[in-house]
Amino acid sequence: MAARTRPGEGTTVRRPWIRRVLSYGDRSLAVTRAGFAFLLLTLAVGFAAINTGSNLLHAVFGAQMTLILASGVLSDRMVVGVTVRRRAPAPLFAGVPGVVEVLFENPHPRRVVLSVHCMDDGETADAPSLDVAPAYAAVVPPRGRVVRSVRATAHRRGVWSLPSAVVITKFPFGLFEKRRRLGPGDPVLVYPRLCDGPVRFTGRGRHGDTEQARGGRTARDGAFFALREYRRGDEPRKIAWRPSARARTLLVREERSHGAEVVTLHLAPGTAGARAFETAVERTAAAARRLLRSEGRTVALRYGAEQVVPPGAGPHHLDRILTFLATCGASPGGDAARDPTLAPPR
Amino acid sequence: MRLAAQSDRLGAAMLVLAAALVRLGSVGSWPAVAAAAAVAVHVAATAGRRMREHRGWTTVLFAGLAASIVRGLVFDDLLDAGVDYLVLLAAQRLLIGRTVRLRLQFSALCLLLVVAASVVHTGLSFPPLSALYVFLAVLDLVSLQIRAAAEQLGGRVAFEIEREGPTILPALARSAAAATTAALAGGLAVFLFFPRFGPGVFLHGPMARSAHSGFSDTVSLGEFGRIRSDPTPVLRLYLDDGATPVPPAGDWYLRGSVFDTYEDGRWSRSHTHPPIHTRLGGFLVLGPDTAPAARPVAGAGGLPRLEASPVAGFAAATNTLRGRILLDDLGVDTLLLLDEPVAARIRPRSPWEAFRTHLAVGPHGTFHAVRPPGSVLYEFVARTGRPTPAELSATGDPPVPEALAGLARPAPDLSPRVGALARALTRGAANRYEQVQAVREHLLGFAYTLEDRTTPLRADGEDPVETFLFRSRAGHCEYFASAMALLLRAVGVPARVVNGFAGATWNDLGRFYVVRNADAHSWVEVHFGPLGWVRFDPTPPDARARASIDEDTLLLRRILDALENAYLTNVIGFDLSRQMDLLRRLSGGTGRPRAVVRDAAKKIAPAGVALFAAVWLVRGIRRRRRRDRLGRLADRVDRTLARHGRPRPADRSFRAHAAALARWADPAAEPLQRFAAVHEAVRFGNAPLDARRRRRAQRAADDLAAAVRGAPPPPRAQAGLA
């Protein structure tokens, strides 16, 4: 059986059949190099004890055997006793390292969980769309939680599930590596890579449907225009609370900005994965960011003939555009791309 | 840094313990152990520092390693050289052990040393030291595991680990303690219940060893220190049931090495007297088949037992003592036997020992056992009767047998004045006994001292015995014995020197006789024709008694002796038959496995349940106390605030309340803020309420009480007080 080395982890999986033999349920066990040495030494001591009848050698042999058993029990307790969840607090950009939070939680009232890793399960057959760096918690106190932020890199835009992960521990002695497979990870939205280049856009006259003239500046100089229903991404401070209470739904104030020009970005429909289409998506995303952040313009997005993102401005409007660009085209992401919680706003 | 520093200190302690364990087992050398200890001290002193200057240390260690290799190859001293090599290699690994990989190698080497110690170390110090070692080793392994994660995952994880050090270290110590307890329990269970096989068929020869130090084939006068004066027990003697020791234990002589050749101040064995022995009832009996020194007689219950053979003209020749001796490893193959031994046999405590131990008879009626390192248990039959002066006188001046002619000739190196002195002393003696007594009485007038007063007075080329006889007139027992033997030889009386132990002490706690290093002694045997060799002790007895230990006042020593004896008997000597006895006792005498388990469960379960309940109760109480301690302090702070007009609203934290008070420059704000810091760290930050935090919280509460006493409270409404 060929040996192979798992990426991101120094442990060499020498004999996969051993792991198969030592697997049960969602847990598996591997013997480390130090563990092999210790096992060999234990066997040698046991052999010498039996061969010589030396009483103290018997005691040493018993202590070594018990340490091996204790190692197994303690490591099992560590991986079973901790609840691990990985999530992305914010969308990632393809090709740019982002942050994934790993939450270690110890529900037990008394036991401490020590030295647990959480990392991508390198044994899954699927090619991962995301690489998440390992997270390590040296100690998780009883009824406590530890949050670690680790680097994650997405390879393609879309909505992806975080790769299957495993909780690993070599605690207490580093003789064995106990691992427990976790369920499928949370979905994470990956914005397209930002790549400057020519894009197709059209400018239009003044438009009242804008909320902010310049990035970072409030629209205090704009006059009240109308009330409209709350859309995801709207700034909470724009919520008109009294009208919302009367209407029993969230309403936000729309204000007329002075001199704002609407720029409409055009993206020709295409198939996700096609080189030309992906390039167009990346350029559109870069242009939207430049227009909204640097130039403070009001931007709309058309996908073919359809206006998929109405005119708007501000950082949340950029999120709306990028969310659409992340999922447009026939996504190769499969089910994850159709996650209703991450569907682009219309 | 904390983990690294702790790891360094743990490693240093492990190295010292492992080296001490093997050295206490009398293998390895003191220089190697001292070098390892020095390295351990250096590492502990510089624990946790990133850079450590160790070029000089490494040079010393590599020199030691090379020396141990040479010693093993050239001097064929594989066991000691191998242990030295391991000790020095472990020290070197500890010294350079900055990475987890090197530290694991160090741990493996230390484990090998402990395994070696478990083979050679049969002393009472092994269990506590090894238990301590197991705890340290487990704690070290657990710490290394955390450090390995830091090494593997980089600086950020290392930083997090370092930041969480105060939380990690106590948790690691608790885990290590639990694992150690389990390991020791497992070791005990295997020790008690794993059946002993010990065929020993796969190993041959390399571990058997013979004399190295202590009793040896030579005695050098002037090289003081051969016979040590420390109270360490050397052997334990158990008499057969019902036997009454005659003579009393204080007058016992235990023969060890016998010397017949004197040259240049040295005694040695000539090996010219072929051993003669026969086998009888499993015993090796001195004497030829036709006239063995022991004969079988009917004992209690009609069972045959050996008794010293009668000797014509020696009424007490059949006075016999039988028993067992448990002899510690003195580094020699000579067995110590009660004077005058007539028969002996090994009582192996395991099949391994039976396979590896061979008993033989040496020249001059000594018994030798080639055996594995460690203590040895053997049975003896000894003639304790001594010929009376009348019986000795009756032998007259018996002719010297041809084989003993060399033992009746004057030593060639001695000057004529020794012969002249001997002739002057024995002038007028009517028989050999009177000659012996004349010489002995002359020497009894000399001074006994453990100081070497002879060597400083010795002229160039002068024999030490002559210096003793004519200049210093003071010395230890070897001088007395040598002088007497040489004086007797000068007048044609066959004599030889015997080294052994004189006197034993009854330990009523352990019910055995103990003989110590301080009882080491040297005396003379004179040949009396048909009566054989007869012992004479020329050393002044009073002086020796003063030099010995006052046993009656040393109750602690007796207790320690009894403990060590129990350890040797019940731990080192625990064999298959004892296992079966234990199982039989547990099973109420049936010996059936199911009954064993059932009965053991019946006996152990209540104790286990009680123990579990007690531990659970104690832990619960401690936890509650620990938790409540901060709660009680918080209640006290609240009561203090309320009593002095600064009540804390229910929805306001201590910190917020302190901030509210601080706006009014209230003196309670500062101590309340300090208390809030501890309270939040413990309540919400999972920080342990250790002694330091408890003191800080207590001090803050005290300061608060002092600060608000007499200070006017701020206006209630403005301060937002409840």
Side-chain angles (χ1 to χ4, degrees), chain A residues 27-315:
Chain A
R27 279 170 275 169
S28 65
L29 183 74
V31 186
T32 64
R33 191 174 294 179
F36 270 116
F38 191 79
L39 282 176
L40 281 179
L41 185 61
T42 304
L43 288 177
V45 170
F47 175 79
I50 293 169
N51 193 42
T52 61
S54 165
N55 289 321
L56 294 181
L57 270 185
H58 275 85
V60 172
F61 174 60
Q64 286 182 280
M65 290 293 291
T66 312
L67 281 180
I68 291 171
L69 284 177
S71 178
V73 171
L74 283 175
S75 60
D76 199 66
R77 191 181 275 187
M78 295 303 133
V79 294
V80 171
V82 67
T83 308
V84 181
R85 190 179 162 215
R86 301 200 296 183
R87 69 184 186 88
L92 305 174
F93 282 90
V96 179
V99 170
V100 163
E101 282 182 352
V102 184
L103 173 68
F104 297 89
E105 201 163 6
N106 175 14
H108 200 278
R110 287 184 302 278
R111 284 184 199 146
V112 177
V113 170
L114 289 160
S115 186
V116 283
H117 292 74
C118 177
M119 57 173 57
D120 292 348
D121 186 2
E123 293 183 346
T124 52
D126 302 337
S129 301
L130 281 154
D131 285 338
V132 184
Y136 177 75
V139 57
V140 188
R143 283 197 177 132
R145 60 168 60 185
V146 170
V147 180
R148 295 277 181 261
S149 297
V150 294
R151 177 179 290 207
T153 309
H155 302 301
R156 292 195 299 272
R157 67 184 177 87
V159 179
W160 307 102
S161 292
L162 283 168
S164 304
V166 284
V167 186
I168 298 176
T169 187
K170 290 183 187 171
F171 189 82
F173 310 128
L175 306 178
F176 305 103
E177 184 186 271
K178 181 67 71 77
R179 52 176 62 208
R180 179 167 65 91
R181 282 190 298 278
L182 301 173
D186 286 0
V188 55
L189 178 65
V190 180
Y191 291 156
R193 188 179 281 111
L194 300 176
C195 181
D196 285 327
V199 292
R200 190 177 154 229
F201 66 93
T202 53
R204 223 170 55 169
R206 292 176 183 278
H207 189 273
D209 191 10
T210 176
E211 54 181 320
Q212 189 170 329
R214 300 246 172 226
R217 270 175 55 187
T218 58
R220 279 180 193 154
D221 52 346
F224 175 76
F225 176 69
L227 288 173
R228 68 164 170 81
E229 217 167 293
Y230 176 81
R231 288 200 298 253
R232 202 174 72 168
D234 280 338
E235 290 184 62
R237 66 190 178 87
K238 296 284 185 187
I239 294 173
W241 291 106
R242 283 185 184 168
S244 296
R246 280 195 294 273
R248 293 180 179 275
T249 183
L250 279 178
L251 299 173
V252 293
R253 288 190 304 274
E254 286 185 320
E255 288 157 347
R256 184 188 299 275
S257 178
H258 305 295
E261 183 186 358
V262 174
V263 178
T264 302
L265 296 170
H266 295 270
L267 177 65
T271 307
R275 182 71 199 142
F277 181 68
E278 291 297 329
T279 304
V281 168
E282 288 165 6
R283 286 175 178 175
T284 306
R289 192 174 76 148
R290 190 184 65 249
L291 289 168
L292 286 164
R293 279 208 179 157
S294 307
E295 300 177 13
R297 308 288 284 275
T298 299
V299 180
L301 178 63
R302 282 186 172 277
Y303 186 58
E306 183 187 3
Q307 186 183 57
V308 289
V309 180

Side-chain angles (χ1 to χ4, degrees), chain A residues 112 114 138-139 171, chain B residues 1-10 135 139-140 142-144 146-147 160-177 688:
Chain A
V112 177
L114 289 160
V139 57
F171 189 82
Chain B
M1 197 61 74
R2 284 195 196 97
L3 268 181
Q6 177 189 273
S7 196
D8 282 346
R9 289 191 201 102
L10 280 173
F135 173 70
L139 185 55
D140 187 51
V142 170
S143 307
L144 282 181
I146 302 280
R147 280 180 63 194
E160 284 165 358
I161 289 172
E162 195 57 39
R163 192 185 57 192
E164 291 170 355
T167 319
I168 296 172
L169 291 178
L172 293 185
R174 280 196 295 274
S175 292

Side-chain angles (χ1 to χ4, degrees), chain B residues 219-301:
Chain B
V219 168
S220 296
L221 294 174
E223 287 185 12
F224 187 68
R226 177 74 69 193
I227 295 178
R228 291 173 289 176
S229 58
D230 66 76
T232 312
V234 174
L235 64 85
R236 293 153 189 82
L237 194 149
Y238 316 86
L239 289 183
D240 281 357
D241 293 340
T244 307
V246 178
D251 294 335
W252 284 353
Y253 284 78
L254 292 116
R255 286 173 103 236
S257 302
V258 180
F259 306 102
D260 58 3
T261 304
Y262 183 79
E263 196 175 357
D264 294 335
R266 291 171 178 272
W267 284 98
S268 61
R269 279 185 277 195
S270 65
H271 297 282
T272 55
H273 306 277
I276 302 168
H277 62 86
T278 184
R279 291 191 178 277
L280 206 59
F283 279 87
L284 219 55
V285 180
L286 295 179
D289 295 349
T290 50
R295 59 177 184 173
V297 296

